[in-house]
Amino acid sequence: MLQKREKVLLLRTFQGRTLRIVREHYLRPCVPCHSPLCPQPAACSHDGKLLSSDVTHYVIPDWKVVQDYLEILEFPELKGIIFMQTACQAVQHQRGRRQYNKLRNLLKDARHDCILFANEFQQCCYLPRERGESMEKWQTRSIYNAAVWYYHHCQDRMPIVMVTEDEEAIQQYGSETEGVFVITFKNYLDNFWPDLKAAHELCDSILQSRRERENESQESHGKEYPEHLPLEVLEAGIKSGRYIQGILNVNKHRAQIEAFVRLQGASSKDSDLVSDILIHGMKARNRSIHGDVVVVELLPKNEWKGRTVALCENDCDDKASGESPSEPMPTGRVVGILQKNWRDYVVTFPSKEEVQSQGKNAQKILVTPWDYRIPKIRISTQQAETLQDFRVVVRIDSWESTSVYPNGHFVRVLGRIGDLEGEIATILVENSISVIPFSEAQMCEMPVNTPESPWKVSPEEEQKRKDLRKSHLVFSIDPKGCEDVDDTLSVRTLNNGNLELGVHIADVTHFVAPNSYIDIEARTRATTYYLADRRYDMLPSVLSADLCSLLGGVDRYAVSIMWELDKASYEIKKVWSNKTLADSLDNANDPHDPIVNRLLRSMATQAMSNALYFSTGSCAEEEFHHYGLALDKYTHFTSPIRRYSDIVVHRLLMAAISKDKKMEIKGNLFSNKDLEELCRHINNRNQAAQHSQKQSTELFQCMYFKDKDPATEERCISDGVIYSIRTNGVLLFIPRFGIKGAAYLKNKDGLVISCGPDSCSEWKPGSLQRFQNKITSTTTDGESVTFHLFDHVTVRISIQASRCHSDTIRLEIISNKPYKIPNTELIHQSSPLLKSELVKEVTKSVEEAQLAQEVKVNIIQEEYQEYRQTKGRSLYTLLEEIRDLALLDVSNNYGI
């Protein structure tokens, strides 16, 4: 029987606002405990994961432990973890969406032995908050009470260890209930996992960082930043229009000076502002970090500033404002943070000289994030000298008003600076991309297709489906040898003379059941990630490259759509990229220079906003249109192997067909609210996929040119095309290598480019004058040179190396004439072909370097074998063999 309660909730919205909601709260006598020791499995109705039966105890982390030590709780060695609902909600409300989603993914992951127990819905576990009781004390009391219930529910057969950082709770509850132990997390690791070295190091790092923050807070009297305003003040100010909320976006080219707040939520609708808000300087940013949802107060108009002009590609912050670069724009300061966007950051440790120059204890140092937009992070470690040549992951813990920099702790090492695998790992972490292998539980859900046990069409499915194997000629337009053929076509003439056009898509949803382990993993990944030299699949290869690949000569399940087209005319009658824009781009074609049309298309698409996934229930119908494709309504479903959005569309399509046929709808469909959240997640992952692909391509381009001398190497000189004019330079496209980048026409010393009679460039005193489609450089002695849009110039390519950040391509115009090879023919080679060759050459160089290193190691080992003191087998090796023999089962050899 359900018991009714009323519960007051303070909920944080996606826009960062807090809502006070009174809800009816129903308590149940039974909720799923997910334990194999459950005495009432039918009543508890266990769905999903069960705790392992191969454990000596269950561990229940307090809310503070979940917040501070989540990365340790992610260690697969730690088993039997029960996350209480109270602790999870504390993470959601106090640490923000990013860490809460990380916790949710951990609970869903079949590789980790942990479960969620809904203690606040269990009649015996729920405790109302007492008058005057702090939220923190109530949370700890609730979790302990649930731990005691769980112990008795399992009939006292499994000890419970509750780990907490609350010393009062340890004193109060430590010996209160036999079988339920309350200790600190550090003591838990020391007593139960003494050999888990990485966890101990991480725990020590977190504790040391916390102690130093507390000491500094007590010792420091001055404040580096003003305190953030209370949440209720921020919300009232937003409602009244005094404050404005938005997302902080730091200019990566002027990270110490410029950031912009992109307007968001109700405040943007009620405001008269038409541009973003400039946040000038670190003081005005007030401890907010790129991506945070912040609250801003506008400064008086006489204090408004203009943005700094930067020479960069179209995807930089030059398009953050519609204002003229020289004009003052709305300027403000951050007065509070509604939602932190803290995540794992890849950093570089300072060199020995840099540590000494910091003038601090070597155990407390500043590390530099790989992302220019993130400030330096102060961490405590004794491994600074060891790790100075590595890319390392750290996590921010806090940023006090008394500290110039945020405080964090060391998490793990990725790889050496400059090594291919280490740099690829850096790109993945920076884009929050997880590429761990599919788990055993997930693979157990997959069908089997081996030579010994080939997969076959089931008789049940054969009865339900339309069989096209004999009636249709189905073909693919994918290249020969392609493994993941997820869509095919068919065309045939019908008896009435009309044409039937068929589109056939692999039926992935048949193998991926809703809310199965593999479905949850695919939903988390959301897409297949394509990097320059590799890919990370959304689904296991048994589906993506086999059973859901529509290969020739084999049986496959498909979702098919057929159109009957008029035999005389089957063209689209009526249109309205916007279709005119596409036609215009088709007509903008220079027969003498095919690169122009390619650049125009690239420039047009860069100027458009990215198409986004959305739930139709969350937008008005007039907002459904897809501008780039000139369609009023658009969705796609042709790649369910690599796009989770297509799996969702398949399920909705099948549900609609089942409803029309009055059949039972299989599986649970998403509600509009769930679909909204899923769309945000997919959009975020798609953006991460695009960024990682671009960054990996730039990585290979830099590695290709890094060891080449730009003064003597022929491949460092190439033809370039101007595709954008800026105030102090131009943006160039290098067709030979598919490189885009900036070339300055005015250097740091104030000199401008000059091209003499031989067309070769040099730097001289002078000035630049920019026009709409050209820019002119004039020297003080009267020489001038003009660069027009789509001009071809000769470019020198070099690398600007960076120890802390990614290397970048540096382009320098050395002649205002096109680059020609000896036979005077202009170089127009296929960029995609050369890109693949570039990747192959870099990969080959890396493999050769690794092989040379292995040979060197083998030589050292051989020399050791020759000159070591003991010539025979070592005693250690002999003892290891004896130990292995002792473990062998020899009973059969003796007839036992």
Side-chain angles (χ1 to χ4, degrees):
M1 183 176 178
L2 299 182
Q3 294 181 6
K4 181 181 174 182
R5 296 277 198 282
E6 282 192 351
K7 188 175 183 182
V8 178
L9 299 176
L10 297 177
L11 299 181
R12 181 76 53 84
T13 67
F14 180 70
Q15 288 79 17
R17 299 185 63 189
T18 299
L19 299 177
R20 185 178 185 274
I21 298 176
V22 179
R23 284 183 177 170
E24 292 181 346
H25 189 72
Y26 291 93
L27 304 179
R28 299 165 176 81
C30 293
V31 296
C33 68
H34 303 288
S35 171
L37 300 178
C38 177
Q40 303 170 327
C44 281
S45 62
H46 300 135
D47 295 325
K49 293 200 311 188
L50 279 180
L51 290 170
S52 171
S53 57
D54 186 26
V55 292
T56 59
H57 64 279
Y58 293 150
V59 58
I60 296 179
D62 192 5
W63 63 275
K64 184 67 173 173
V65 172
V66 177
Q67 287 188 9
D68 291 350
Y69 298 99
L70 183 58
E71 60 263 49
I72 300 180
L73 296 171
E74 291 173 339
F75 278 46
E77 291 87 350
L78 300 185
K79 297 184 178 182
I81 303 177
I82 302 170
F83 288 97
M84 293 296 172
Q85 176 189 0
T86 302
C88 296
Q89 289 179 346
V91 171
Q92 180 184 16
H93 296 151
Q94 297 176 35
R95 286 300 172 92
R97 181 178 296 274
R98 186 179 292 275
Q99 188 162 356
Y100 178 62
N101 285 340
K102 195 167 188 178
L103 175 58
R104 290 177 62 188
N105 292 334
L106 175 66
L107 287 163
K108 294 173 185 175
D109 195 334
R111 286 174 287 252
H112 295 276
D113 184 33
C114 60
I115 58 96
L116 170 67
F117 178 61
N119 63 299
E120 294 191 22
F121 290 105
Q122 214 286 332
Q123 287 180 359
C124 299
C125 293
Y126 177 74
L127 292 178
R129 186 175 166 190
E130 296 176 352
R131 184 180 297 273
E133 185 178 29
S134 69
M135 177 66 73
E136 293 78 10
K137 292 297 181 184
W138 172 77
Q139 288 169 338
T140 300
R141 187 165 63 92
S142 295
I143 292 172
Y144 174 75
N145 184 63
V148 173
W149 179 90
Y150 204 97
Y151 174 68
H152 294 315
H153 176 72
C154 294
Q155 298 179 327
D156 302 355
R157 291 190 290 166
M158 182 65 71
I160 301 285
V161 180
M162 176 180 166
V163 287
T164 180
E165 297 298 290
D166 189 338
E167 291 293 341
E168 290 184 14
I170 295 174
Q171 292 294 327
Q172 181 178 355
Y173 305 127
S175 57
E176 185 173 288
T177 305
E178 185 178 356
V180 179
F181 305 91
V182 184
I183 60 176
T184 66
F185 191 61
K186 178 78 169 99
N187 286 342
Y188 174 72
L189 292 178
D190 290 341
N191 287 285
F192 290 88
W193 300 98
D195 299 327
L196 199 56
K197 185 179 178 182
H200 283 273
E201 291 176 350
L202 193 51
C203 183
D204 291 341
S205 174
I206 295 170
L207 287 172
Q208 187 174 359
S209 177
R210 182 194 296 165
R211 283 194 294 267
E212 290 178 352
R213 289 199 309 272
E214 292 172 352
N215 292 337
E216 287 174 5
S217 179
Q218 294 172 0
E219 296 171 1
S220 178
H221 299 288
K223 291 185 181 294
E224 299 291 341
Y225 298 96
E227 293 290 349
H228 292 149
L229 297 178
L231 184 60
E232 56 271 18
V233 176
L234 296 177
E235 291 177 342
I238 293 170
K239 190 173 182 179
S240 67
R242 179 180 179 182
Y243 302 140
I244 301 168
Q245 78 175 61
I247 299 177
L248 187 79
N249 189 54
V250 177
N251 184 344
K252 65 181 178 182
H253 300 279
R254 300 287 185 272
Q256 297 298 315
I257 303 172
E258 284 185 350
F260 300 88
V261 172
R262 303 246 164 107
L263 305 185
Q264 181 196 43
S267 61
S268 64
K269 297 177 183 177
D270 301 334
S271 172
D272 295 330
L273 295 174
V274 294
S275 73
D276 296 331
I277 300 171
L278 171 65
I279 308 296
H280 190 271
M282 292 294 291
K283 288 286 186 182
R285 214 175 294 175
N286 194 7
R287 294 173 286 151
S288 56
I289 291 177
H290 176 78
D292 285 352
V293 179
V294 297
V295 178
V296 175
E297 180 180 42
L298 281 179
L299 299 177
K301 281 193 175 182
N302 60 352
E303 297 183 30
W304 288 9
K305 299 180 183 295
R307 61 175 294 122
T308 306
V309 177
L311 177 60
C312 55
E313 290 192 56
N314 287 344
D315 62 347
C316 80
D317 289 301
D318 275 1
K319 63 182 181 182
S321 168
E323 299 284 338
S324 171
S326 59
E327 294 179 358
M329 62 181 295
T331 306
R333 65 185 184 94
V334 174
V335 295
I337 302 175
L338 292 179
Q339 185 174 319
K340 295 182 175 70
N341 191 45
W342 297 353
R343 56 174 174 81
D344 287 350
Y345 298 102
V346 180
V347 302
T348 304
F349 278 66
S351 62
K352 285 183 181 179
E353 296 77 14
E354 290 171 327
V355 171
Q356 293 172 357
S357 68
Q358 290 182 13
K360 297 178 180 179
N361 189 311
Q363 293 183 5
K364 187 192 296 184
I365 60 172
L366 290 175
V367 294
T368 304
W370 187 82
D371 188 341
Y372 284 97
R373 301 169 299 185
I374 307 301
K376 290 183 178 180
I377 303 169
R378 186 173 56 181
I379 69 169
S380 299
T381 181
Q382 298 178 352
Q383 305 179 66
E385 186 174 339
T386 306
L387 297 174
Q388 63 182 350
D389 295 325
F390 292 86
R391 300 275 189 222
V392 173
V393 177
V394 302
R395 188 169 292 173
I396 293 178
D397 298 318
S398 68
W399 195 347
E400 309 298 337
S401 61
T402 55
S403 174
V404 177
Y405 300 102
N407 298 290
H409 65 271
F410 166 86
V411 177
R412 67 182 185 277
V413 175
L414 292 180
R416 284 191 175 275
I417 297 172
D419 282 0
L420 177 60
E421 293 304 318
E423 297 299 325
I424 289 290
T426 294
I427 291 172
L428 296 176
V429 170
E430 282 295 318
N431 290 283
S432 301
I433 296 174
S434 175
V435 293
I436 52 179
F438 293 101
S439 70
E440 183 179 352
Q442 291 161 354
M443 294 305 296
C444 285
E445 296 177 340
M446 294 293 92
V448 176
N449 189 28
T450 62
E452 299 79 19
S453 179
W455 177 84
K456 295 179 181 179
V457 173
S458 71
E460 296 82 6
E461 289 295 322
E462 198 166 11
Q463 290 294 323
K464 292 189 293 186
R465 295 174 180 263
K466 185 173 182 179
D467 194 342
L468 306 181
R469 290 175 291 186
K470 296 180 180 178
S471 57
H472 289 66
L473 177 61
V474 181
F475 57 91
S476 168
I477 59 173
D478 289 308
K480 187 177 181 180
C482 181
E483 290 184 347
D484 53 346
V485 182
D486 49 12
D487 54 354
T488 55
L489 302 171
S490 67
V491 179
R492 67 171 182 165
T493 303
L494 299 175
N495 294 334
N496 60 7
N498 288 342
L499 291 178
E500 181 193 71
L501 173 65
V503 174
H504 314 280
I505 314 298
D507 188 3
V508 176
T509 57
H510 174 78
F511 300 101
V512 181
N515 296 319
S516 60
Y517 288 142
I518 199 64
D519 179 54
I520 292 170
E521 179 66 23
R523 191 187 312 161
T524 301
R525 299 189 182 201
T527 185
T528 292
Y529 299 95
Y530 294 91
L531 274 58
D533 66 328
R534 66 194 75 186
R535 79 180 190 202
Y536 296 101
D537 289 326
M538 184 183 79
L539 292 169
S541 59
V542 68
L543 295 184
S544 60
D546 191 0
L547 295 181
C548 289
S549 184
L550 304 181
L551 304 172
V554 291
D555 294 339
R556 292 292 183 263
Y557 295 147
V559 176
S560 299
I561 296 182
M562 307 289 193
W563 290 273
E564 185 173 334
L565 306 178
D566 184 83
K567 60 184 177 183
S569 173
Y570 38 80
E571 294 182 357
I572 298 174
K573 299 286 186 180
K574 185 178 180 181
V575 297
W576 58 284
S577 166
N578 44 348
K579 183 67 167 62
T580 306
L581 172 62
D583 294 337
S584 175
L585 288 172
D586 288 336
N587 295 328
N589 186 29
D590 186 346
H592 303 292
D593 193 354
I595 294 174
V596 169
N597 184 256
R598 180 177 166 191
L599 274 173
L600 280 172
R601 289 184 178 275
S602 174
M603 291 162 65
T605 53
Q606 280 188 343
M608 299 177 190
S609 299
N610 286 336
L612 298 175
Y613 296 104
F614 66 95
S615 169
T616 55
S618 63
C619 294
E621 191 167 346
E622 55 267 21
E623 298 179 26
F624 286 9
H625 63 274
H626 191 295
Y627 182 85
L629 297 179
L631 294 172
D632 291 335
K633 296 181 177 69
Y634 173 75
T635 190
H636 53 64
F637 73 113
T638 56
S639 298
I641 288 176
R642 58 185 178 89
R643 291 191 301 235
Y644 192 79
S645 58
D646 293 32
I647 290 181
V648 175
V649 174
H650 274 228
R651 287 175 179 162
L652 292 171
L653 183 62
M654 293 297 100
I657 294 172
S658 299
K659 186 175 181 181
D660 286 345
K661 294 183 177 181
K662 298 183 179 179
M663 298 167 57
E664 181 184 354
I665 298 177
K666 293 185 177 180
N668 297 321
L669 298 179
F670 288 108
S671 67
N672 180 58
K673 182 180 177 182
D674 292 335
L675 207 54
E676 273 190 86
E677 184 174 348
L678 178 60
C679 288
R680 282 195 292 266
H681 170 70
I682 293 176
N683 290 331
N684 175 276
R685 293 297 81 208
N686 281 345
Q687 189 177 48
Q690 293 168 9
H691 286 171
S692 60
Q693 186 175 33
K694 180 176 182 288
Q695 289 165 351
S696 69
T697 300
E698 292 170 348
L699 169 64
F700 273 85
Q701 290 171 343
C702 289
M703 294 186 77
Y704 178 81
F705 287 104
K706 191 166 188 176
D707 297 327
K708 296 176 174 57
D709 185 354
T712 59
E713 179 68 50
E714 181 274 333
R715 285 176 288 187
C716 293
I717 310 297
S718 188
D719 186 65
V721 184
I722 297 173
Y723 71 92
S724 184
I725 306 292
R726 298 299 169 94
T727 303
N728 54 346
V730 296
L731 299 184
L732 296 170
F733 174 61
I734 314 298
R736 184 178 181 186
F737 300 107
I739 293 174
K740 284 184 177 180
Y744 286 92
L745 302 184
K746 189 174 188 177
N747 66 15
K748 293 181 179 179
D749 299 324
L751 304 178
V752 298
I753 196 169
S754 172
C755 296
D758 58 354
S759 301
C760 293
S761 67
E762 56 181 324
W763 297 103
K764 293 183 177 181
S767 61
L768 297 176
Q769 188 174 10
R770 176 189 178 187
F771 303 91
Q772 184 176 4
N773 294 320
K774 64 182 180 180
I775 186 170
T776 299
S777 173
T778 306
T779 64
T780 53
D781 55 10
E783 296 178 357
S784 69
V785 58
T786 300
F787 297 91
H788 296 83
L789 201 62
F790 302 123
D791 274 357
H792 286 253
V793 294
T794 301
V795 181
R796 177 184 289 124
I797 305 170
S798 59
I799 297 300
Q800 184 172 337
S802 174
R803 181 173 170 273
C804 298
H805 311 285
S806 60
D807 293 343
T808 54
I809 295 282
R810 183 171 177 267
L811 302 180
E812 180 185 2
I813 297 176
I814 59 175
S815 172
N816 63 337
K817 300 296 182 184
Y819 176 67
K820 296 182 179 180
I821 54 177
N823 63 2
T824 70
E825 292 181 2
L826 201 65
I827 294 182
H828 288 313
Q829 301 189 41
S830 169
S831 174
L833 175 64
L834 286 172
K835 177 184 171 184
S836 64
E837 292 178 355
L838 182 149
V839 170
K840 288 179 182 177
E841 183 169 331
V842 171
T843 305
K844 182 180 178 182
S845 299
V846 170
E847 290 174 349
E848 289 175 351
Q850 289 176 342
L851 183 61
Q853 181 66 23
E854 290 174 4
V855 171
K856 183 178 179 181
V857 171
N858 289 337
I859 291 173
I860 293 174
Q861 289 179 342
E862 290 174 1
E863 291 177 350
Y864 168 74
Q865 292 292 334
E866 182 176 353
Y867 295 107
R868 68 179 181 167
Q869 188 174 12
T870 305
K871 296 294 183 180
R873 290 185 300 169
S874 68
L875 178 61
Y876 175 79
T877 305
L878 183 62
L879 290 173
E880 281 292 296
E881 291 182 2
I882 294 173
R883 185 181 70 86
D884 291 341
L885 285 172
L887 296 176
L888 293 177
D889 182 5
V890 296
S891 57
N892 289 336
N893 296 340
Y894 294 93
I896 299 176

